Amino acid sequence: MAPDPANDRITTWIGSSTSDTITVAGRDLPGELMGTVTLTDLAYLLVTRREPTAGQRRLLDAVLVSLADHGLTPSALAARLTYTGAPEAIQGAVAAGLLGAGSVLLGPAGDTAVFLADALPDDHADEALRGAAAEAVEGRRRQRLRVPGLGHPVHRVEDPRTPRLYALAQEEGVLGPHLRLLRFVADAQADASGRRLPINGAGAAGAALVDIGIPPMSVRGVVLIARTAGLVAHLTEEAETPMGMTLWHEAERRAEPPAYG
Amino acid sequence: MAPDPANDRITTWIGSSTSDTITVAGRDLPGELMGTVTLTDLAYLLVTRREPTAGQRRLLDAVLVSLADHGLTPSALAARLTYTGAPEAIQGAVAAGLLGAGSVLLGPAGDTAVFLADALPDDHADEALRGAAAEAVEGRRRQRLRVPGLGHPVHRVEDPRTPRLYALAQEEGVLGPHLRLLRFVADAQADASGRRLPINGAGAAGAALVDIGIPPMSVRGVVLIARTAGLVAHLTEEAETPMGMTLWHEAERRAEPPAYG
Amino acid sequence: MAPDPANDRITTWIGSSTSDTITVAGRDLPGELMGTVTLTDLAYLLVTRREPTAGQRRLLDAVLVSLADHGLTPSALAARLTYTGAPEAIQGAVAAGLLGAGSVLLGPAGDTAVFLADALPDDHADEALRGAAAEAVEGRRRQRLRVPGLGHPVHRVEDPRTPRLYALAQEEGVLGPHLRLLRFVADAQADASGRRLPINGAGAAGAALVDIGIPPMSVRGVVLIARTAGLVAHLTEEAETPMGMTLWHEAERRAEPPAYG
Amino acid sequence: MAPDPANDRITTWIGSSTSDTITVAGRDLPGELMGTVTLTDLAYLLVTRREPTAGQRRLLDAVLVSLADHGLTPSALAARLTYTGAPEAIQGAVAAGLLGAGSVLLGPAGDTAVFLADALPDDHADEALRGAAAEAVEGRRRQRLRVPGLGHPVHRVEDPRTPRLYALAQEEGVLGPHLRLLRFVADAQADASGRRLPINGAGAAGAALVDIGIPPMSVRGVVLIARTAGLVAHLTEEAETPMGMTLWHEAERRAEPPAYG
C-alpha cells in the first residue's frame, strides 16, 4: 500500500534531546522546568500546551487527589495479585492495575467528559444548558443507555467529593459550562425517571477537567496519572504486609465446583 | 495447605469509604486533602505515611518532572503503536508504555536507589562514604556487573539533569547521604576503570528519592507516576497527529527477510 | 452495601487441585489430558465445556494458525520495543503486544462474530439469511458504522485466508450459518454501496469460530491465544537480532518538532 | 549518537504479506499451513524454525496442556478483577493475567530451563550429569538461592504432572539430557540438604521444552501461550458467573485499617 506522503511525517511537540540539552514541551528541562513546576503543572502543560493558571492548577490537583485511590478496589487487588507472582517487575503490577480502568470503573470520568462536551450548546446561558441537558438525557434513555456521571453503588445519596469539587471550582473562578451542564443533567434525569441520582465524584471530576481545558478525549488518560500514584502506594504496602497469597487461598478454599459436564 | 492464621489478615492503610465518607491515608479526602495538597504531596504521603516538608516536596516534584518524558523512546512508541490497534482502550496503551520500564530503560533509577541503600554505611562522614563507595564498586566489578547510575548513551560527558538535581537538593537542605555516596561511587568507578562516567539523571533521581524518604524498593514504582504523565501526553498527541501507521509501514517496507530455512 | 447472598458465591468449572491430584475441566490433568489432547483441544474444551469433533478441531487450528502472525504489525513492534526496555520481564512484552488487539486491529474477528450472532435469524434457509443480511447491513449504514468483516487495507481484492477457511469448513462439514450469513452480508453491502469489499480473514475467522461453537463474546479472547504464539516468536527473534534500538533511533532522527507554543 | 550501520538493519523471518499472498515462517499461510498444522506445530515452527517430529509435537502439547490452568491462581484472579472494571477490553484482562507470570509463579519453568542449560556438561553420560548436578546445586546454595524446579507448596510429596511428563518423554523417545539432569539435581539437592523435594511440574516442563529444542530463553514465553488459553477460559466463565465484585466486597469487608499515623 502506497502511504500518502502527506501523512508520512513523524512530528512531536513533547520532547527531544541532544548530547547536552533536554527539551520538554519546548522548555529547557533542567533550566526552566525542574525546581519550577510541579508534576501536575507539567502534565497540564504537556496535554494542553499551555501553563495552568493558579485556579486551574488547584482544581487539577484536587481532581487528581480525588481519584488517586479508593481502597481495595478491583484495580488495586489486580495489581497486588500480579505482584504476588512477579515482584521483580513492579511495572507489570502497576500496568495490571491500570488495565481495569475501563467502562465500569474509573472510565466513567472520561465518559462523562465526552458526553458533556458533545451535549454542550454554543450558548452557555442557564436556559440553553437546561434544554441541552434534557435533550441529552432523553437521547441516552432512548438508546437505553445510562446517563454518565450519575449514581454510585456506595454513596447513594451524595458522593462527598462532588460538593467539594464544585465549591473549589467556584472559589477559584473556574466553575465552567461543563460542571454547570452536569447539574442540569442530574435534574433532567430526575425529572425523566422520577428518581434523583447524585452526581458522582468521577462525573464531577470529568466535567471539571474539561472546564479547565483538558481535551475531553484525554480525560480518561489524565485520570490514570492519579491512579498510578495510588497503585504505587498499594504495591509499597503489599511488599511490607502482603495480602496476595491470602486472597488466592481464600478464593480457592471458597470455590465451589459445579457439577462437571 | 493450612494458611498460618497469623498471616491471614488483610490490612490496608491506604483508603476506605462508607456511604458518606471517603478516607485516604487516614485523612478525610474531601475535607482534608482535596484543594489542600498536590498530587505529588499525596503520592509522598501514601508511600511514606508522612507529609513532605517544603524541601522534600520541591525535590520530589523536580525528580518527577525530570523523568516524565524523554521524547520518542521505546516506551512512548510502544504506547502509540498500541493506541493504533486499540484507540478505544487508552488504559491499555498507557500500560504498554509502562511495561517497558525495566532493567534497561527507566528501571535504573530504582536500581541505583537499592544499590546505594545497600552500600550506605552507618557513618555518613566523607571518609566512610568514600570507603563504602570503593567497596561497592569493587563488588560490582568482581561480579562483572555495571555500576548503576553512571553513564548515558546520549549524554556522554554530563547529563544536564544531574547538576540541577544536586543544586536543588543543596538549596533545599535535603542533599543527603545517598546523593553524596553516589558522587563517591562515580569517583571510585573512575579510579577503578580509568574512565570517568557521568552520573546519569536516573541515578541522581534514585539517590534523591531515597534521601527524601522514599523506600528504596518503591523508587522504581514512583518513577512510573511521572512516566504515566508523559505517556498520556504522547497519546493525546497520537490522537491528533498519529505516527503509528507510519511506523508500521516503514518497518514492513524496510524489513529484509533472511533466507528461509 | 449488603451483597446479595445469592450472588455471593464463587464457582469455577475450570480447575482445582489437592495435594496429589490436579483437575482441569473435570478431567484428571495428568491421566486424561496430558499426552492425549492438544492445546487447541484443551482451549476448545475449557471455553465450550465440550470436546471438539475432528472437524471442529481442524477448523479451530486453521483459524488459530491464520491469526497467529502478520509480520511487523503494531502489536509485534510494541512487544519488541517493550522488550528493549525490560528484557528480563518477557511477560510484559507479550502483554504489551496483546494490548493492541482492539477495535482496529485483531478485534474485528470478535466484532464480526458478535455482529453475525446478533443478526442471525432462527430460520437458516438462504432466503432468510439473505434478508437478515440486508437488514443488518442497512442498520449499520444508518448508524454510519462500518460493516464488520469486510475490506482489508492490503488485500483489496481477496484476502487469501478467506477462501481457504470456507473450503476447509466445507470439507469438514462445519460450514454453518454464520459463515453463510457473512457471504450474504458481503453481497448486501455491495448492493447497498455499489462497491464490493472482500470478506477479510478476521471476519471469516470470527464467523467460523461461532459456527464451531465458540461463544461470540469469547471470540475476541480466543484470537489472543494465537497471537500470543506469534508474539513469543517475535521476542525470540528480537533477542537474537534486535530491531528495537534501531526503531527508536530512527523515530527520533525523523521526528520534526513543530514550532513550540 | 551515530548508530552502527551494521546493526541498523531490520530483518524478520516470521511473516510478510503482499496484496494476494501471506507468508508465515517461509510457508504460504493458506496453502501450506492452514488446515495442515496445529497451533502447537506453528508455535514450534516459529520459535525453532524447524517442524516438530511426532514425538516433539506430542511432548510440546503435553507441556502446554499441563501449564494452561491451575484454577483460581493470582493470575486468573487478576484477569477476572480487571474484567470487572473493563469488560469491553478483554485483551487488557488477558494481559493483566499474563503479567503475574514472574519469578514466583509460572516463571520457574523458564528459570529451570536456563539453569539446566547453563549447567549441562558436554558429556551426557550419567556420571558426568551427576557431577554437573552436584556442582550446580552447590553453586546455588553458596549464593543462598533456591534450586529451581524443585518443591511445591501444594504437591509436597509428588507433583502429579512430573511422572507423567517423564513417562511421555520416554515413550516418545525424547527424554533428553535436560530432563535427565533435573533428576540428578533433585538427588544432589536431597544429599546436600538432607531433605528431598519433588521435581515440580513447572521444572519438568522447562526441562522437557529444552530437550525438544526450544531455546532456554524462550521457555518463559512459550509457557505464556498455554496460560493465555487458560485465561480466556476464566474470562468466558467470568462473563457468565462473575466473582469479581464478590472478591472486591469481601476484601473491603475484611480489611482492617491499622492505627493511622
Side-chain angles (χ1 to χ4, degrees), chain A residues 258-261, chain C residues 11-14 25 27 41-52 213 215, chain D residues 80 233-234 236-238 240-241:
Chain A
Y260 284 110
Chain C
T11 65
T12 185
W13 184 83
I14 296 173
R27 275 86 172 162
D41 289 330
L42 182 66
Y44 187 93
L45 173 60
L46 283 172
V47 169
T48 68
R49 302 194 179 184
R50 289 192 311 274
E51 287 171 21
Chain D
R80 286 172 179 262
H234 277 285
T236 295
E237 195 178 70
E238 182 70 15
E240 285 163 19
T241 53

Side-chain angles (χ1 to χ4, degrees), chain B residues 72 85 88 103-104 248 250 254, chain C residues 72 85 88 103-104 250 254:
Chain B
L72 297 177
E88 75 287 359
S103 61
V104 175
W248 176 12
E250 292 219 337
R254 282 199 43 187
Chain C
L72 296 177
E88 74 287 359
S103 61
V104 176
E250 292 220 337
R254 282 199 45 187

Side-chain angles (χ1 to χ4, degrees), chain B:
Chain B
M1 168 174 42
D4 174 359
N7 288 332
D8 196 30
R9 295 172 56 209
I10 289 182
T11 65
T12 185
W13 184 82
I14 295 173
S16 63
S17 59
T18 67
S19 65
D20 53 3
T21 65
I22 302 177
T23 305
V24 171
R27 276 82 172 165
D28 180 59
L29 174 65
E32 296 179 78
L33 296 173
M34 288 169 65
T36 310
V37 305
T38 66
L39 178 64
T40 300
D41 290 332
L42 182 65
Y44 187 93
L45 173 61
L46 283 172
V47 169
T48 69
R49 302 194 181 183
R50 291 191 309 275
E51 285 171 21
T53 65
Q56 289 170 335
R57 170 188 299 122
R58 187 160 173 236
L59 209 67
L60 177 54
D61 266 317
V63 165
L64 294 174
V65 163
S66 79
L67 295 170
D69 191 75
H70 299 142
L72 297 177
T73 55
S75 154
L77 294 174
R80 286 171 179 261
L81 287 157
T82 302
Y83 183 88
T84 301
E88 75 287 359
I90 202 173
Q91 72 276 14
V94 171
L98 292 181
L99 289 170
S103 61
V104 175
L105 299 173
L106 221 49
D111 296 341
T112 306
V114 172
F115 167 74
L116 294 172
D118 287 349
L120 192 75
D122 289 340
D123 177 355
H124 295 176
D126 277 3
E127 213 41 54
L129 294 182
R130 186 176 294 121
E135 204 176 308
V137 166
E138 177 55 27
R140 299 288 287 194
R141 290 173 60 87
R142 219 172 20 235
Q143 296 180 269
R144 298 175 178 279
L145 295 173
R146 295 182 52 172
V147 178
L150 304 182
H152 194 282
V154 174
H155 309 298
R156 290 168 180 277
V157 177
E158 184 175 74
D159 186 322
R161 294 166 295 182
T162 302
R164 180 65 175 142
L165 265 186
Y166 274 91
L168 282 167
Q170 181 76 43
E171 192 181 323
E172 295 292 341
V174 294
L175 203 164
H178 297 88
L179 277 169
R180 289 171 54 222
L181 177 61
L182 181 55
R183 278 182 173 154
F184 288 114
V185 164
D187 291 345
Q189 196 278 339
D191 288 349
S193 71
R195 179 163 157 259
R196 173 165 291 274
L197 294 174
I199 296 175
N200 59 44
L209 290 179
V210 184
D211 270 345
I212 64 170
I214 303 294
M217 291 300 296
S218 297
V219 166
R220 199 160 170 172
V222 168
V223 165
L224 300 177
I225 306 172
R227 182 47 54 102
T228 302
L231 289 168
V232 170
H234 277 284
L235 294 168
T236 295
E237 195 178 69
E238 182 71 15
E240 286 164 18
T241 53
M243 66 178 70
M245 288 289 183
T246 298
L247 294 168
W248 176 12
H249 294 145
E250 292 219 337
E252 293 220 317
R253 188 180 49 72
R254 282 199 43 187
E256 309 164 32
Y260 285 112

